[in-house]
Amino acid sequence: MTLARALFAPRAVALIGASGDAAKNSARPLRFLRKHGYAGRIVPVNATRGEVLGERAWRSLAEAPGEIDHAFIMTPGDSVERALEECGARGVPVATIFSDGFADAGAEGAARQARLIARARALGVRVLGPNSMGVIDIPGRLALTVNAVLEADGLPAGTTSMVSQSGTMLGTVLSRGAARGLGFSKLVSVGNEADLGVAELVELLAADAATQVILLFLETVRDGRALAAAVRKAHAAGKPVAAYKLGRSGLGAALARSHTGALAGEDAALDAYFRDCGMVRVDQLETLVEIAPLLAGRKPPDLARAARVAVVTTTGGGAACVVDRLGMSGIGTFAPDSGSPIVDLTMKATAEQYTAELDRLLAAPDCDGVLAVVGSSAQFHPQLAVEPIVRSRKSAKPLAAFLTPHAEASLALLAAGGVPAFRTPESCADALAAYFAWRSPRTAPAGKADWPAGLPKKGRLDEAQALELFASLGVPVVEHAIARAPGWSHAIAYPVAAKVLSAELLHKTETGAVRLNIADRAAFDREVQTMLGRITAKAILVQRMETALAEAIVGYRDDALVGPLVLVGAGGTLAEIYRDFALALAPVDEDEALAMIGKVKGLAVLRGYRNLPRGDVGALARAVAAVSRLALLPGRPVAEAEINPLIVKGDGAVAVDALVAMKE
Amino acid sequence: MTLARALFAPRAVALIGASGDAAKNSARPLRFLRKHGYAGRIVPVNATRGEVLGERAWRSLAEAPGEIDHAFIMTPGDSVERALEECGARGVPVATIFSDGFADAGAEGAARQARLIARARALGVRVLGPNSMGVIDIPGRLALTVNAVLEADGLPAGTTSMVSQSGTMLGTVLSRGAARGLGFSKLVSVGNEADLGVAELVELLAADAATQVILLFLETVRDGRALAAAVRKAHAAGKPVAAYKLGRSGLGAALARSHTGALAGEDAALDAYFRDCGMVRVDQLETLVEIAPLLAGRKPPDLARAARVAVVTTTGGGAACVVDRLGMSGIGTFAPDSGSPIVDLTMKATAEQYTAELDRLLAAPDCDGVLAVVGSSAQFHPQLAVEPIVRSRKSAKPLAAFLTPHAEASLALLAAGGVPAFRTPESCADALAAYFAWRSPRTAPAGKADWPAGLPKKGRLDEAQALELFASLGVPVVEHAIARAPGWSHAIAYPVAAKVLSAELLHKTETGAVRLNIADRAAFDREVQTMLGRITAKAILVQRMETALAEAIVGYRDDALVGPLVLVGAGGTLAEIYRDFALALAPVDEDEALAMIGKVKGLAVLRGYRNLPRGDVGALARAVAAVSRLALLPGRPVAEAEINPLIVKGDGAVAVDALVAMKE
């Protein structure tokens, strides 16, 4: 019995703690399994009753006959541990635990969960949960869940599967899809992910013949490396993975943390992570419901330029709502052979004309996709536009539809025809933007880097050491020397900058430990004395003064969730205030670094903004790539590093200020 | 017969060009009027038939008997003009023109429209359109429209009215509302607004006893002053006005322009304008459908601090979707007497507990509103949460609901109970953000300003004149003098800046017409000679060099759509790239200027960002208020003006560079 079969296609399920009161949550799995036609054996376990909702029940799992493939544990408190022991004793391969009070309930609960999972490992029982709402397989008729959405009749089967860190949101997506004919295959609520996590489930779904598209509802990412590997496997299997991720605002991130006990990551880092492993990220919740037909059977478009969508509409205002929104994502719209951004057929097209127009647009060169906006005919006259859309020639280019009125029958027609169709202009534009931003999983540049002999591997490097490390990776660094007491001599040509050399001293500028533009030796001696009057130091870092066309910040962080990241931004306080930077998973090559630089608005000054002199963008890109090679150091000892500023000149770039902090 | 009665409650309507073919658009008004139970007299006019869809028809309006209150003109081409003449001859007070080919069809069409409207004025006929889809009054059973949404049966009546620049979007909003029990009163498609425009219709609806909330779907603003006045009247009558406005991206703006022939305004200016006159602006289309119950009977909250919403939920994930989004709008959420941002009752509350919790939250101090998020119970067990919400004690504080599953019956229950309810987390957060950002119409500060004697009122002022104008309004300007050939003498203490004085010379810095930091007389003479080597000039503006804690830009523009605007932003290229500025309608007082400054991220450096020295924010605010008084000059002669930079110091602020351009 494979894990996938035990999870999704068990021949027998035990319902531990099944209630005889049909109104209770713990009666739901039995009711739902029956209602949706589960073909296997149901084994209710109830400590006090011999019968549950008309089904023979057992006092304990030990007493129940036959082989059990999957146990669903609903009992409160310590009885969970007892139930797990019984699963182990009976050789049950998988237990889904609905009971809560584990990592979802503070430090004590987390410790209890750790003990439970250690015991499960020893017993050889895989665990979904705790705090999981269960597992659903619509075509397989398995409704092993407490999720009330299963009260619905006739949920449509499909080839979209979903893994959710929120059990209730499974029901949301399922119920909204069902209302408009969008069917699902397997749906899993992972709860606390104590054992089986999102990553392993994505891997199972990547190998699942009944799954074409995988949707994720994420509150956090618990095992970044494993999830990235699983998403890459799904890509290799031709199965797109799309995610809705909470935590875009600080408030949402705090809530995700407090709600699930999980650590929430910085949103921009997660964006870089999703892009890197080839995941599609949606912004609006309903896009998650609607996007599957846009992705099914498609590969990432990997566009190297801004996307262009041809638009045909029977409502000028309705089309404008989407076009306006697409423009905010940098997506252009056009009508072939016309200067207009749309083909407006309001109140004038027959079905034949509409079909001809669709064919023309799908065949238009430089067209990356077609958007059909349908007005009131979608509600009352589907033959005019909706049916031609369903019948249109299938093309590698996506054809998406936005229906402006309330038109569920037409949405269902489009769903049945496999046409991506959207209820709101916002989710339509969101889906198209997410699709066109979709990239194949990235192959990080190969290579290795060596730790310079003699540099400490703990704590914080002093600035001379930090410059040495960056230079060893290929970053051009400012000409510098160390002046020492008592003579403070050095060989750097004036004007120079002088900084107290100390790994401990942070915020050097604010504490007066930095002096710039020192014109000559006499001034240098004065400045050194002034600094030493405030700060005890044995060494001073002397640097040649450099003049900048522009200043950049280049950073590196080995993120606990997503791994090593490289950052580039414009230098200075304003850029910091605007949080104007680009992030990518490290290492990156020079081309990738150039693409990052292109996303930083403030670095427009380097690209010849308003006749300002152009800076050496290539040198900046090489420096970013060099910094990103911190990720290639054996054992990845660096926790955080930053060059701020990296001075960009008309010819070349040079690091003048550097920080490096080790993990230990 | 008042205009309102002729438009919305005509005793007899003439349908000019009514088709006898039921499938044609021009047959719709007759079909719809009958279907929805119009109680007045229907007078079809058809040049070739004596009968239309079983109704007696006349060859021309002249032949038709009785008084006609409202004519609906659908005939093509030149016959529109003939029909209008007939309306004039018969004393028809209002003609709605569905026919297109006017301002919607290029310059020739615009000229034709101008002639048509001139004739209508002469005849005393008010015109709705051309290119209007008509007028609907649901409680009044008037369906004088070609909009296919009227094919629907039993559209619910309500107290929300709507004016739309897109005829098809009327149908969108009406059909989506109807599907969930949100009723409407009057709906008007204004088409090209050649005569009756959005402003006049808002004014009519403000006076309409059957209207409580006014919705606008806008592609542009055609008469900013009239619309602002109308929205203020609606406010005075206790009727909130909410608008969805296209054109947030350049693409959408271009489309709005090409689609309607209207001039699209800059989005940020329109934002300032909407806020100023007390309008609520929504971002998502569905918010326009859903927001009315949140606004009905309420006044602008006029909050002086960030809003705080108490949240109760039966789905942690569903609540997090809204909370995350609210956080992006700066709205905080909280659970009273708890450190958590939400009250999570997932799978544990009875209806009684839920009711008690709602009462507790609505009564909580420092709570500006309550958000109830309901999970699957909204679909299957409305008695658990939805019904307690409907029964909850009505409070001045808004109580809004977001339902996560597909739950139309519950949405209708909430609509019937007057509870604002939302289908998506995005529209829910959008509506709450729009509500909390809602301000009462602003009373602009009174006062007058005089034009300094001797300054020209045409073209462009030279910089000395510009500084004089700003000084006359109360802006502190840099100490300056004019040095003239041949001696170029001046009395400004060194170091100084020198600029060629010329109204024609733009981009002085780029063309070498500005020299900074001139240390002494000898250097000054050298710099003057260098400048004169390139540029012919008779006068040089000499200014004392000022050192800045921060630089700001203060601008003014008399906008064609919305009137005089004042702008404040951070100085420098980066701030320009980030478009980091605040806009308001001019004039503003010092407090309003302070609030504007608070919205400019880049001016955080003045507020003591990261231990940087604080700047004189008050002096900056006084300067912004002074610049805004350009709007008080008699005749408002100034088209555009700018101080860039305004140097902000620890004590005081001073304008060092000024531009002023007149309207003529």
Side-chain angles (χ1 to χ4, degrees), chain A residues 296-324:
Chain A
R298 291 213 162 76
K299 289 186 190 324
D302 287 324
L303 284 184
R305 53 165 176 75
R308 295 180 79 221
V309 175
V311 180
V312 57
T313 188
T314 60
T315 153
C321 293
V322 190
V323 168
D324 199 14

Side-chain angles (χ1 to χ4, degrees), chain A residues 25 28 98 133 146-149 151-152 166 168-169 172 175-176 179 217 219 244-249 251-253 255 258-259 283-286 314-321 323-325 327-328 331-333 341-342 344 346-347 376 379-381 402-406 408 423-426 510 570-571 573-578 580 601-602 604-605 609-610 612, chain B residues 25 28 98 133 146-149 151-152 166 168-169 172 175-176 179 217 219 244-249 251-253 255 258-259 283-286 314-321 323-325 327-328 331-333 341-342 344 346-347 376 379-381 402-406 408 423-426 510 570-571 573-578 580 601-602 604-605 609-610 612:
Chain A
N25 292 337
R28 285 179 179 173
F98 168 59
M133 282 207 175
V146 295
N147 196 307
V149 69
E151 303 278 6
S166 159
T168 52
M169 294 317 276
T172 296
S175 111
R176 288 178 179 232
F217 182 94
E219 292 174 336
Y244 175 94
K245 164 76 182 63
L246 285 172
R248 284 152 303 181
S249 75
L251 196 57
L255 182 53
S258 69
H259 174 58
D283 178 55
Q284 305 230 334
L285 181 63
E286 202 157 62
T314 60
T315 153
C321 293
V323 168
D324 199 14
R325 212 84 195 172
M328 291 164 83
I331 296 174
T333 64
I342 61 170
D344 193 342
T346 305
M347 298 212 129
S376 54
Q379 191 172 7
F380 303 106
H381 309 288
F402 162 51
L403 310 187
T404 68
H406 179 78
E408 299 210 320
R423 267 194 80 262
T424 68
E426 294 80 17
E510 290 86 339
T573 307
L574 276 186
E576 189 182 313
I577 289 173
Y578 298 127
D580 178 26
K601 283 187 189 177
V605 293
Y609 182 81
R610 291 223 169 162
L612 290 172
Chain B
N25 292 336
R28 285 179 179 170
F98 167 59
M133 281 206 175
V146 295
N147 197 307
V149 69
E151 303 278 8
S166 159
T168 52
M169 295 316 277
T172 297
S175 109
R176 289 179 179 231
F217 181 95
E219 294 175 333
Y244 174 94
K245 165 75 182 61
L246 285 171
R248 283 152 303 182
S249 73
L251 195 59
L255 181 55
S258 69
H259 173 59
D283 179 54
Q284 306 230 335
L285 181 64
E286 202 157 64
T314 62
T315 153
C321 294
V323 168
D324 199 13
R325 212 88 196 170
M328 291 165 83
I331 296 174
T333 63
I342 60 170
D344 194 343
T346 306
M347 298 212 127
S376 55
Q379 192 172 6
F380 304 105
H381 309 287
F402 163 50
L403 311 188
T404 68
H406 179 77
E408 299 210 321
R423 267 195 81 263
T424 68
E426 294 82 16
E510 290 87 336
T573 307
L574 276 185
E576 190 182 313
I577 288 173
Y578 297 125
D580 177 27
K601 283 188 187 175
V605 294
Y609 181 79
R610 292 224 169 162
L612 292 173

Side-chain angles (χ1 to χ4, degrees), chain A residues 258-557:
Chain A
S258 69
H259 174 58
T260 62
L263 183 73
E266 188 191 333
D267 199 57
L270 284 166
D271 248 351
Y273 165 82
F274 289 151
R275 198 171 56 241
D276 193 86
C277 63
M279 212 184 307
V280 175
R281 184 175 189 179
V282 302
D283 178 55
Q284 305 230 334
L285 181 63
E286 202 157 62
T287 314
L288 194 65
V289 180
E290 297 178 315
I291 201 171
L294 182 61
L295 302 179
R298 291 213 162 76
K299 289 186 190 324
D302 287 324
L303 284 184
R305 53 165 176 75
R308 295 180 79 221
V309 175
V311 180
V312 57
T313 188
T314 60
T315 153
C321 293
V322 190
V323 168
D324 199 14
R325 212 84 195 172
L326 286 172
M328 291 164 83
S329 296
I331 296 174
T333 64
F334 74 115
D337 308 318
S338 132
S340 164
I342 61 170
V343 179
D344 193 342
L345 302 177
T346 305
M347 298 212 129
K348 43 198 168 211
T350 63
E352 291 68 33
Q353 288 164 330
Y354 198 88
T355 300
E357 197 56 41
L358 280 179
D359 289 344
R360 185 176 81 94
L361 298 186
L362 282 165
D366 299 326
C367 164
D368 303 310
V370 175
L371 167 65
V373 179
V374 187
S376 54
S377 78
Q379 191 172 7
F380 303 106
H381 309 288
Q383 72 282 3
L384 272 182
V386 170
E387 289 170 9
I389 292 170
V390 173
R391 283 194 310 267
S392 74
R393 279 183 218 143
K394 295 308 174 233
S395 152
K397 289 177 196 174
L399 165 63
F402 162 51
L403 310 187
T404 68
H406 179 78
E408 299 210 320
S410 284
L411 287 171
L413 264 183
L414 291 161
V419 179
F422 300 89
R423 267 194 80 262
T424 68
E426 294 80 17
S427 63
C428 181
D430 182 31
L432 288 171
Y435 168 77
F436 287 118
W438 186 23
R439 295 280 173 279
S440 296
R442 188 180 73 106
T443 307
K448 64 191 269 316
D450 293 314
W451 188 254
L455 287 193
K457 281 198 179 174
K458 288 196 169 186
R460 196 176 271 278
L461 300 187
D462 72 31
E463 197 168 343
Q465 293 164 337
L467 289 174
E468 184 185 344
L469 176 59
F470 282 124
S472 78
L473 295 167
V475 180
V477 304
V478 66
E479 193 187 331
H480 62 281
I482 300 175
R484 296 184 192 279
W488 308 105
S489 68
H490 67 85
I492 308 296
Y494 289 91
V496 300
K499 305 174 185 176
V500 171
L501 188 62
S502 160
E504 280 70 49
L505 199 62
L506 300 176
H507 309 297
K508 288 183 188 170
T509 306
E510 290 86 339
T511 53
V514 176
R515 287 289 183 272
L516 302 178
N517 275 311
I518 304 173
D520 51 31
R521 177 75 212 188
F524 177 76
D525 288 339
R526 279 197 308 276
E527 294 291 5
V528 168
Q529 291 315 313
T530 309
M531 285 197 283
L532 294 179
R534 301 183 195 181
I535 303 149
T536 309
K538 293 181 194 143
I540 301 260
L541 183 67
V542 185
Q543 300 182 338
R544 177 175 161 170
M545 278 304 300
E546 295 276 359
T547 31
L549 267 181
E551 297 190 351
I553 174 171
V554 184
Y556 171 88
R557 178 159 56 92

Side-chain angles (χ1 to χ4, degrees), chain B residues 606-640:
Chain B
L606 293 176
R607 299 186 284 268
Y609 181 79
R610 292 224 169 162
N611 298 321
L612 292 173
R614 281 166 193 272
D616 192 340
V617 177
L620 173 58
R622 286 188 293 279
V624 170
V627 169
S628 79
R629 284 194 283 272
L630 286 165
L632 298 174
L633 288 168
R636 292 214 317 253
V638 174
E640 281 189 280

Side-chain angles (χ1 to χ4, degrees), chain A residues 209-231:
Chain A
T211 294
Q212 264 196 55
V213 175
I214 301 166
L215 304 181
L216 307 180
F217 182 94
L218 299 179
E219 292 174 336
T220 187
V221 171
R222 281 197 177 86
D223 184 346
R225 195 189 304 212
L227 179 57
V231 172

Side-chain angles (χ1 to χ4, degrees), chain B residues 71-82:
Chain B
F72 192 83
I73 302 176
M74 298 170 272
T75 53
D78 290 344
S79 56
V80 174
E81 282 81 354
R82 279 200 304 277

